Amino acid sequence: MTIATENASSSSTAEQTTRARRLKALGGWAIVGALVLVGVFVATQVGVQMPDRRGALDPEGVGDSGTMALAEILDDQGIDVEVHRSRSDALAAIDDDTTLVMANPFALSDEAVTDLIEPADRVVFLSSSTHLLALLGIGTNAAPDSSPVSAACDVAEFAEVGSIRPDRLFTPSDGVEACFGDDEAAAVLVDEHDGTTRTVVEGARLFSNAYLAEDGNAALGLALLGQSERVVWYVPSYADSDIEGEMPETLGSLTPPWVTPAIVLLILTGLAAALWRGQRFGPLVEETLPVTVRASETMLGRARLTAKAGDAAHAGAALRDGSLRRLARRLGLAERAEPAEVADAASDRLRIPRGSLHELLAGHLPADDAALVDFARRLSELEHAVDAAAHDTKGRE
C-alpha cells in the first residue's frame, strides 16, 4: 500500500511538472504574439499618420519645403486650385481665366515647356534655372542679397505687399519689369507681351510653409497667384518627363527565366546544409572598449565649419558625394564608382538619354546659397526618382 501511494504521488508530481512546463511555454508564446500584434499596430498607425513625401514647392506638401499653406490661403480667398502632376492634364485644364503655376520644369524639354505655357495668359514660375531664364528671354541671374526690399515698380497688384527678404535675385532683360529691387537686381521679373504675362520668382525662401508667415511673403504669393479665379498648379517630376531614351539590354533581360529559380533553390539548399552541419562555438563574450567615439562628432564639426565659412561649393561637393554613393548602391554599382558611370546608370534606370545627368552629378558645383538650395533639391528628386523606378521595375518582374 505504501509503495502504491508513493508511485501515485510521484506520477501526480510528474504530471503537474509537465503541465507547468506546458503552461509556461504557452505563456511565452502568448507574450511573443502580443508583442508582434503591438508592433504591427504601431507600424500601421505610423504609416497612416505619416504624411506623403512631397518635393519642394509642392502644393500638397506639408513639410517645411512644401507650399500647402499658400494653396490653402488661395482656397480661402475663393480661388480654385487644381494640382496636376501630368503636363497633359495641366494643358487640358488651362482656359482664358487661369493662372498656370509651376516650379522649374527641369524634366521637360524646351518644346514641352513652350507647348505647356503657350495657351496660358498668365504663367508664374516659382523657381527657375539659368536655362529656363534663357528660354523665356526674361533675364539672367544676379548676385544674391537677402536685404528687405519693397515692390518699387508699376505692377498694381504689388502695391500692398510690403517688404520681403528674397534669397535670389535676377537681372531683367530689356522690356521686362523688375520688382522688389532695381534694374540691376530684382526678386520678381514680370514680362508682359501680347496680352500674356510671364513672371519668375525664387519661391523656396518666400512661399514654403516654413517662411510664408514672414514679412510680406503671403501677400506676395496672393498677389502673384490670386489674379484669376482658377489656378492650375503643375508639379514637374522625372515621372512626367518627355525626354525618352532607349533602354539598353541588361544582364537581367538576357538571363533565361529558369536561372533565377535555380539560384534561389541553390541558396536555400546551402542555408539548409549550413544549419544541418553547422557547429555552435558557444556564447558571445562581451568586451568593453577603452574608448567610445561618436561617429557624428566629425560630421557635425565639419558641417559647422562649412556653414560658418559660407562655402557653398564645399557643401555641394559633400551633398553630391553622398548622393553618388547612395545612387551607386541602389543601381548595383561599386560604392566608389565614377560619377559619369553613376550618371549613365541612373539615366538608363529613368529611361532618359545618357548625358542628361552628367552636369548634375559631375559638373560645376554651386557658387552661392541659392544655387546650393536648387542643387540639393535636384539631387533629392533624382534619388527619389531612381527609388521609384526601382520599385516599378520590381513590380513588373
Side-chain angles (χ1 to χ4, degrees):
M1 180 67 69
T2 302
I3 295 175
T5 303
E6 291 178 353
N7 290 337
S9 177
S10 61
S11 177
S12 177
T13 302
E15 291 179 357
Q16 292 177 356
T17 302
T18 303
R19 188 180 297 110
R21 290 177 179 175
R22 290 177 179 176
L23 291 176
K24 185 177 180 180
L26 290 175
W29 282 110
I31 294 174
V32 172
L35 292 175
V36 171
L37 291 176
V38 171
V40 171
F41 175 78
V42 172
T44 303
Q45 293 301 312
V46 171
V48 170
Q49 298 175 7
M50 183 177 296
D52 293 337
R53 296 183 64 181
R54 301 292 184 185
L57 298 175
D58 193 308
E60 295 179 343
V62 298
D64 289 344
S65 62
T67 52
M68 177 177 282
L70 178 57
E72 291 182 349
I73 290 177
L74 295 173
D75 184 67
D76 293 340
Q77 297 297 319
I79 300 172
D80 184 18
V81 179
E82 298 180 9
V83 180
H84 297 279
R85 302 182 185 275
S86 167
R87 67 182 185 281
S88 58
D89 294 342
L91 185 61
I94 298 174
D95 57 24
D96 294 336
D97 191 18
T98 298
T99 298
L100 176 62
V101 182
M102 73 183 82
N104 175 33
F106 53 88
L108 300 183
S109 64
D110 294 350
E111 294 77 10
V113 174
T114 303
D115 292 341
L116 179 60
I117 67 176
E118 184 177 4
D121 294 335
R122 185 178 181 86
V123 182
V124 178
F125 290 95
L126 298 182
S127 65
S128 175
S129 64
T130 304
H131 179 77
L132 180 61
L133 291 174
L135 176 65
L136 298 175
I138 199 170
T140 57
N141 289 314
D145 186 0
S146 60
S147 302
V149 290
S150 56
C153 65
D154 297 331
V155 180
E157 52 262 35
F158 296 155
E160 303 297 330
V161 169
S163 63
I164 61 173
R165 291 178 178 270
D167 63 344
R168 187 181 179 189
L169 301 178
F170 308 96
T171 299
S173 300
D174 295 338
V176 176
E177 188 78 25
C179 298
F180 297 94
D182 51 37
D183 292 338
E184 298 297 329
V188 181
L189 300 182
V190 181
D191 181 21
E192 295 185 358
H193 183 72
D194 295 336
T196 62
T197 302
R198 307 287 187 261
T199 305
V200 173
V201 61
E202 180 57 50
R205 179 62 175 76
L206 298 174
F207 306 133
S208 60
N209 297 331
Y211 298 103
L212 187 63
E214 296 182 1
D215 302 315
N217 297 349
L220 176 60
L222 188 59
L224 287 172
L225 311 185
Q227 302 305 312
S228 58
E229 296 181 357
R230 292 177 61 247
V231 168
V232 174
W233 200 316
Y234 170 64
V235 182
S237 65
Y238 285 109
D240 192 45
S241 175
D242 66 322
I243 305 174
E244 298 182 357
E246 295 183 0
M247 190 67 176
E249 294 290 344
T250 62
L251 181 61
S253 61
L254 297 175
T255 302
W258 56 266
V259 172
T260 300
I263 293 175
V264 172
L265 181 60
L266 289 175
I267 292 174
L268 294 177
T269 303
L271 291 176
L275 292 175
W276 171 48
R277 302 294 297 176
Q279 297 181 357
R280 298 187 61 183
F281 296 98
L284 297 176
V285 178
E286 295 183 0
E287 182 178 356
T288 304
L289 295 176
V291 178
T292 301
V293 179
R294 293 180 58 190
S296 61
E297 289 183 0
T298 302
M299 178 187 68
L300 293 176
R302 290 178 178 175
R304 293 191 186 98
L305 289 175
T306 302
K308 186 176 181 180
D311 192 352
H314 193 125
L319 291 173
R320 183 159 66 186
D321 182 66
S323 293
L324 284 171
R325 286 188 283 105
R326 289 189 292 273
L327 287 171
R329 289 196 299 269
R330 294 166 186 167
L331 294 170
L333 303 175
E335 187 172 356
R336 289 299 179 181
E338 293 295 327
E341 184 180 357
V342 177
D344 290 341
S347 299
D348 294 341
R349 180 64 60 84
L350 297 175
R351 296 177 180 271
I352 61 178
R354 290 193 172 189
S356 303
L357 302 176
H358 280 199
E359 177 63 23
L360 178 61
L361 298 180
H364 297 290
L365 293 170
D368 51 49
D369 291 345
L372 178 61
V373 171
D374 183 64
F375 185 72
R377 179 173 68 244
R378 293 178 64 190
L379 287 174
S380 176
E381 290 169 345
L382 175 59
E383 292 187 41
H384 294 335
V386 170
D387 284 343
H391 291 322
D392 292 342
T393 303
K394 292 180 179 179
R396 289 193 298 269
E397 292 177 355

